[in-house]
């Protein structure tokens, strides 16, 4: 996500289910603060979307976004880092 707003994340990492609903989310801010959400757990203003997440190809149609799929292992590593920072 391309912007310079310090109070908004510039990196998002989502784990989604087969129905395209968020299961877990990590957000990274410019000041290296990390937020995360899972179920009813929410840290640093991060929350799960109640809407279905579009396909990655649709997200990437907007020039402001550059989404890529990452492995489960990569997501777990980022998830653990977010939890340990908080």
């Amino acid at each position: 996500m391309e912007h310079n707003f310090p109070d908004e994340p510039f990196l998002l990492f989502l784990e989604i289910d087969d129905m395209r609903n968020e299961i877990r989310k990590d957000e990274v801010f410019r000041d290296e603060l990390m937020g995360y959400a899972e179920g009813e757990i929410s840290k640093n203003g991060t929350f799960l979307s109640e809407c279905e997440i579009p396909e990655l190809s649709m997200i990437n149609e907007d020039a402001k976004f550059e989404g890529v799929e990452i492995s489960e292992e990569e997501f777990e590593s980022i998830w653990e880092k977010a939890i340990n920072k908080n």
Side-chain angles (χ1 to χ4, degrees), residues 11 13 26-28 32-36 74-86:
L11 288 175
F13 299 93
D26 291 308
E27 296 180 327
V28 182
E32 297 184 18
L33 177 72
M34 294 183 78
Y36 63 89
E74 288 173 301
F75 183 87
E76 289 300 328
S77 176
I78 295 162
W79 180 257
E80 290 299 319
K81 183 177 178 181
I83 289 174
N84 292 331
K85 277 191 109 169
N86 291 291

Side-chain angles (χ1 to χ4, degrees), residues 5-70:
F5 305 115
D7 58 337
E8 292 184 19
F10 75 101
L11 288 175
L12 304 173
F13 299 93
L14 311 176
E15 178 182 24
I16 57 174
D17 64 18
D18 293 336
M19 302 294 290
R20 309 215 47 85
N21 296 305
E22 291 181 340
I23 300 169
R24 296 186 291 174
K25 178 191 287 184
D26 291 308
E27 296 180 327
V28 182
F29 296 82
R30 295 252 179 233
D31 65 0
E32 297 184 18
L33 177 72
M34 294 183 78
Y36 63 89
E38 176 183 35
E40 299 299 316
I41 300 169
S42 176
K43 211 54 156 162
N44 295 325
T46 300
F47 59 89
L48 298 179
S49 174
E50 295 181 10
C51 300
E52 181 180 298
I53 302 302
E55 294 285 339
L56 197 52
S57 59
M58 288 185 67
I59 292 170
N60 285 334
E61 287 177 6
D62 186 331
K64 293 183 290 192
F65 298 102
E66 186 180 333
V68 296
E69 189 170 331
I70 63 172

